[in-house]
Amino acid sequence: MKSRLTGIVLALCAAGSVGAQNAIWRTDSLQEVVVTGTGTQHLLKNAPVQTEVITSRMLRDYAGKSIEEILSGLTSSFAFNEDDMGSQMQLNGLGNSYILVLIDGKRIHGDVGGQNDLSLIDPQNIEKIEIVKGASSALYGSDAIAGVVNIITKKHHEEGLLLENSSRFGSYSDVRQHNGVGLHLGRWNSFTHFQLQHSDGWQNTATEHTEGSEPPIYDSRNKTVNRHTNWQVAERLTYTPAKNLELYADGSTYWKRIYRVSGKYPHYDVKTWDMEYHNASASAGGKWKLSGTDYVSLDVDWNRHAYYYYYTAMTLVEDYEKSAGTLYYPYFPYLPDQKELQSDQQRTMVQLKGVFTLPYENRLSAGVEYRYDWLKAPTRVDGGKASDWTGAIYVQDEFSLIPCLNVTAGLRLNKNEQFGMRLTPKVSAMLKLGSPWRLRATWSQGFKTPVIRELYYRYVRQMSGTYLYLGNLGLKPQSSDYFAVSGEYTQNGLNVTVTAYHNRLKDMIALVTIPNYQAPAEYILQYDPVKTRQYQNIEDARTTGVDINVKYTWRDLSIGAGYSYLDTDANQYDTTHDKMRKVTIDGMAHHKANLFATWGHRFLPGYRLGLGLYGRMSSKRYYQIDGNGNGYQIWRLNTTHELGHSKHTSWRVEAGVDNIFNYCDRTPHGLHLGTTTPGRTVYASLSIRFNQGKNIKNSYQPNINFRQNDEDN
């Protein structure tokens, strides 16, 4: 029986080899080199782990102003509900804390109330985006239970001087500015970039939801999205002392201010402070190439994210530090233009990694990591300060049992300061069945320890009444089992991918509404909250779904669609009624979809026109409290105009209309929105690029030197 099965598989492989010789069509995207799924280079069509790519062409045709707009518009698996505290991203039913966002393989840092501030990412500096769904803990650790989003930035290797500028203007005084300066001299390469983002914000409704018997407020001053400004300066310097060795150092500084309007209703829209953020980062490291595919790399990173209240009126604030251990809270006056630190989060990471080619078509990846997190938050964390560290060792092997079957297996051993050790495995396989067919399957485990915020948090938020948020020192680590199977068909310009997945979580951590009597008595006496919410372990949870992506390309025309079906539930212990109850995971929508059609044609040597029509849809989003988010569909038209180029300079214009049919969610403030879009908006941008020299090969560029099975169709 075993020999018969082997013979069948080999026959299918042989058919694939014959089909490959006759194949005459290839899409550009299938020739993309991807690294996120395995940490090693593969052509997209031969990546053992299912990887979704937003290519540079897709980014250029879509012309999104932010990473949130790009991901929600070009994939069907993501959902966002942006507010002052961050992006509130969700991927296949799981929220921001389960999604690992990387920039060139490094973790983004910017935890704002549990939500990453994705405005740290400059969309004009993105080359492509790689998305791997499901637990990837073997390579990436505890933050990757839902998936990994790897932002690959543009690399500038031109000899001599490079100057680039992009200026975008849109409705509601939306301004996006990008400037870059690159300099390549011999073994030295420098790139400095600046980005500025500003919006006056908007108000979708003046109605304010109120709790209990109070009537709603119909002339609230609160905005759906507040006026905000942020800017960032970043520098990357590389030095190549030898052909096979590159050293680098980079750093950045980031500032953001959110301006909150002040109304006349206490606890609803009287604001006496704005919000201000200061981020900084520094890193250094190097990569030593042992051969075309083998290397050893070392990276050391430090990141800081600080969050302040910037007072706009005289405000009396309780001084927690002076009153520690007592029920007496002396007040300290803050005057206009003074700041109060809310949180200062710092993270240091050291990563050593090696990739080695072994006999019998094995490729081994191994590494060690150390991460130290430190937090100071006088008004938000019990005790004012807290810290945590995690170490890890991981190993992964890629091998081919037979020419058309690739298997990737990995193990990661985590050691956390408070929660001890845990081993997490991962296995993926890809089978080539004839020229157009690929079958992939993955099983992986995830492990995530509670973060500092979930353990020590203590925060009061004024929205529709007073909400008290509490940490929980009794939390247990979370674990997950992820199963996925996918099929891919590619032939004559058509690409179809269908993926079914099931993610089962144990001891999932979520904010749960608890009776006030279960909270510490001193907090209830002090704040008299309308609701008290605490981080707790839900008994278990699951997400199950199917993702379908279809794309067809014919000459200058590309059309495509994506659909995501999702179902979630969790077993939560109801302390009030002493029983288990079924709940949905907050933010879940059963159905999401996106559609696109793009066309581009060069009419003259100096002019190319591009047209793109895009649609994104979502059904109702479910929440345990404060109402559900309405379903919606939004359509977008974008035009691109390449105006030609001289010997060293090129010009490009983009213009379009977003939300063509002017949909706007009028749900009252304090309740959940399906989308925060203000309705129809228009935008236009101009990009200019000056390149003094010509492209040259750089040792840090991806080396397309694959094993034979990666070159086969």
Side-chain angles (χ1 to χ4, degrees):
M1 181 67 184
K2 182 178 179 181
S3 60
R4 184 181 301 174
L5 179 61
T6 302
I8 293 173
V9 173
L10 288 174
L12 290 170
C13 292
S17 177
V18 172
Q21 298 174 16
N22 296 325
I24 60 173
W25 174 83
R26 288 184 174 187
T27 63
D28 291 339
S29 61
L30 291 180
Q31 305 310 310
E32 289 280 346
V33 178
V34 296
V35 299
T36 307
T38 62
T40 55
Q41 294 179 357
H42 290 274
L43 294 179
L44 175 60
K45 63 180 180 178
N46 290 324
V49 178
Q50 183 67 49
T51 304
E52 185 174 351
V53 176
I54 299 176
T55 66
S56 57
R57 179 179 175 180
M58 295 168 67
L59 292 168
R60 189 169 62 248
D61 291 343
Y62 187 73
K65 68 179 181 180
S66 66
I67 188 67
E68 294 94 336
E69 194 172 271
I70 291 168
L71 290 175
S72 61
L74 294 178
T75 71
S76 59
S77 301
F78 286 90
F80 294 89
N81 201 1
E82 302 172 61
D83 61 15
D84 290 344
M85 301 308 294
S87 303
Q88 297 194 34
M89 176 169 55
Q90 191 179 76
L91 170 61
N92 284 350
L94 296 177
N96 187 87
S97 61
Y98 300 97
I99 306 167
L100 180 59
V101 181
L102 307 173
I103 301 179
D104 291 327
K106 297 180 181 179
R107 297 164 181 262
I108 191 175
H109 185 66
D111 187 354
V112 186
Q115 305 294 332
N116 280 328
D117 183 1
L118 297 182
S119 59
L120 286 161
I121 302 170
D122 181 0
Q124 292 294 328
N125 201 39
I126 300 175
E127 177 66 25
K128 64 178 179 178
I129 303 171
E130 298 179 8
I131 302 164
V132 175
K133 300 169 186 176
S136 299
S137 295
L139 282 180
Y140 297 108
S142 63
D143 297 333
I145 285 180
V148 179
V149 180
N150 193 7
I151 312 294
I152 310 296
T153 62
K154 296 176 180 178
K155 303 299 185 294
H156 304 273
H157 303 295
E158 292 83 359
E159 182 71 26
L161 180 66
L162 168 72
L163 300 174
E164 57 185 26
N165 171 271
S166 178
S167 302
R168 173 183 172 128
F169 304 92
S171 304
Y172 300 98
S173 298
D174 188 87
V175 178
R176 310 279 164 155
Q177 181 71 33
H178 164 85
N179 301 96
V181 179
L183 186 63
H184 188 113
L185 295 174
R187 298 179 182 272
W188 293 91
N189 194 349
S190 168
F191 184 71
T192 306
H193 95 266
F194 168 82
Q195 68 153 327
L196 170 71
Q197 302 177 5
H198 172 82
S199 172
D200 282 350
W202 56 85
Q203 184 185 51
N204 288 353
T205 178
T207 302
E208 189 85 35
H209 170 71
T210 54
E211 291 287 341
S213 59
E214 296 184 47
I217 295 170
Y218 294 104
D219 58 348
S220 169
R221 303 297 188 270
N222 278 330
K223 286 189 172 185
T224 306
V225 173
N226 283 313
R227 177 175 171 241
H228 56 274
T229 302
N230 61 273
W231 56 263
Q232 181 183 45
V233 178
E235 161 68 18
R236 181 178 177 89
L237 182 67
T238 60
Y239 174 61
T240 310
K243 183 179 180 180
N244 62 343
L245 176 64
E246 181 175 272
L247 307 175
Y248 77 89
D250 59 31
S252 68
T253 183
Y254 170 89
W255 175 91
K256 183 174 184 177
R257 176 90 171 268
I258 296 175
Y259 304 87
R260 307 196 306 165
V261 295
S262 183
K264 58 185 178 180
Y265 297 100
H267 304 300
Y268 294 101
D269 60 5
V270 172
K271 308 295 190 298
T272 61
W273 63 82
D274 295 336
M275 293 181 282
E276 190 169 297
Y277 306 100
H278 296 172
N279 280 32
S281 69
S283 62
K287 184 175 184 179
W288 178 28
K289 299 185 69 175
L290 306 175
S291 67
T293 58
D294 299 358
Y295 67 88
V296 175
S297 64
L298 174 66
D299 298 281
V300 180
D301 301 284
W302 171 84
N303 291 270
R304 183 196 186 207
H305 171 78
Y307 168 39
Y308 298 88
Y309 281 171
Y310 186 101
Y311 287 95
T312 56
M314 199 277 284
T315 306
L316 295 176
V317 177
E318 293 169 320
D319 194 324
Y320 295 92
E321 292 183 336
K322 293 182 180 179
S323 59
T326 73
L327 292 178
Y328 171 65
Y329 295 90
Y331 286 90
F332 180 86
Y334 280 91
L335 302 178
D337 298 327
Q338 287 188 316
K339 300 178 185 179
E340 180 192 17
L341 177 67
Q342 298 300 304
S343 66
D344 181 0
Q345 303 175 71
Q346 298 187 34
R347 184 193 68 204
T348 301
M349 288 194 68
V350 181
Q351 301 178 78
L352 176 65
K353 176 183 177 180
V355 175
F356 311 97
T357 300
L358 301 179
Y360 305 107
E361 295 294 324
N362 284 258
R363 184 155 45 173
L364 182 71
S365 302
V368 295
E369 294 180 2
Y370 175 80
R371 171 175 172 171
Y372 178 77
D373 288 283
W374 178 84
L375 170 66
K376 179 181 179 181
T379 65
R380 292 171 178 259
V381 168
D382 283 335
K385 297 179 182 179
S387 64
D388 184 53
W389 64 261
T390 299
I393 302 173
Y394 66 87
V395 62
Q396 174 186 271
D397 188 24
E398 301 174 58
F399 55 94
S400 296
L401 298 174
I402 52 179
C404 61
L405 177 63
N406 178 276
V407 178
T408 302
L411 285 172
R412 184 183 185 93
L413 180 64
N414 281 298
K415 166 66 172 162
N416 181 263
E417 177 184 10
Q418 301 185 57
F419 297 97
M421 290 194 295
R422 176 66 180 264
L423 187 68
T424 54
K426 175 178 181 177
V427 179
S428 296
M430 182 191 67
L431 178 65
K432 304 174 187 178
L433 296 177
S435 173
W437 294 97
R438 300 285 191 277
L439 297 180
R440 295 178 176 90
T442 293
W443 168 72
S444 57
Q445 288 189 338
F447 177 67
K448 181 173 175 60
T449 58
V451 298
I452 293 174
R453 179 188 69 257
E454 294 165 343
L455 293 169
Y456 302 101
Y457 212 48
R458 181 199 64 209
Y459 172 58
V460 175
R461 184 180 182 187
Q462 301 289 350
M463 29 189 194
S464 302
T466 301
Y467 281 47
L468 173 63
Y469 294 86
L470 297 174
N472 185 352
L473 290 174
L475 291 174
K476 296 179 289 186
Q478 305 165 88
S479 60
S480 70
D481 277 281
Y482 177 79
F483 306 87
V485 60
S486 67
E488 181 178 9
Y489 174 85
T490 302
Q491 190 76 22
N492 297 328
L494 176 66
N495 178 260
V496 181
T497 303
V498 180
T499 303
Y501 64 88
H502 177 77
N503 208 350
R504 187 171 63 238
L505 283 77
K506 182 179 179 182
D507 297 320
M508 180 182 181
I509 295 175
L511 274 171
V512 175
T513 301
I514 63 173
N516 283 348
Y517 67 78
Q518 293 185 7
E522 61 268 27
Y523 295 159
I524 302 302
L525 291 173
Q526 179 185 356
Y527 302 117
D528 189 24
V530 171
K531 281 189 175 71
T532 300
R533 307 204 78 196
Q534 185 180 45
Y535 288 102
Q536 291 188 0
N537 289 108
I538 295 177
E539 294 299 321
D540 58 66
R542 67 160 183 89
T543 65
T544 303
V546 177
D547 292 338
I548 303 173
N549 290 286
V550 180
K551 181 179 179 180
Y552 178 71
T553 302
W554 182 73
R555 295 185 178 178
D556 296 332
L557 177 67
S558 291
I559 58 175
Y563 170 73
S564 178
Y565 171 78
L566 172 67
D567 187 55
T568 73
D569 63 45
N571 291 317
Q572 180 180 313
Y573 181 68
D574 187 342
T575 56
T576 303
H577 300 95
D578 191 27
K579 66 177 184 180
M580 299 295 296
R581 64 187 182 102
K582 288 278 189 181
V583 297
T584 60
I585 297 176
D586 277 352
M588 188 269 305
H590 284 304
H591 309 281
K592 294 192 294 293
N594 70 295
L595 303 169
F596 75 88
T598 62
W599 176 84
H601 185 74
R602 187 170 298 280
F603 291 93
L604 299 169
Y607 177 70
R608 183 183 185 276
L609 171 66
L611 300 175
L613 179 65
Y614 302 86
R616 55 189 173 97
M617 307 88 179
S618 176
S619 61
K620 180 190 297 184
R621 300 185 68 186
Y622 293 90
Y623 294 87
Q624 294 183 45
I625 65 169
D626 296 330
N628 297 320
N630 295 326
Y632 62 86
Q633 60 171 299
I634 295 174
W635 291 88
R636 171 193 184 95
L637 176 65
N638 184 66
T639 68
T640 59
H641 310 265
E642 295 179 10
L643 303 180
H645 55 84
S646 63
K647 182 177 180 180
H648 299 295
T649 307
S650 61
W651 298 267
R652 178 184 175 85
V653 170
E654 298 166 348
V657 181
D658 197 18
N659 199 345
I660 298 172
F661 300 107
N662 200 30
Y663 173 78
C664 188
D665 193 335
R666 307 293 184 183
T667 301
H669 295 294
L671 301 178
H672 291 291
L673 301 177
T675 173
T676 58
T677 176
R680 186 184 300 115
T681 58
V682 296
Y683 61 88
S685 70
L686 171 65
S687 299
I688 304 174
R689 193 172 191 267
F690 171 82
N691 177 13
Q692 185 185 47
K694 62 181 180 179
N695 290 336
I696 64 170
K697 186 177 180 180
N698 182 285
S699 64
Y700 206 68
Q701 288 179 289
N703 190 328
I704 313 304
N705 183 11
F706 300 103
R707 298 173 297 172
Q708 181 63 39
N709 67 329
D710 279 334
E711 296 173 351
D712 294 337
N713 279 319

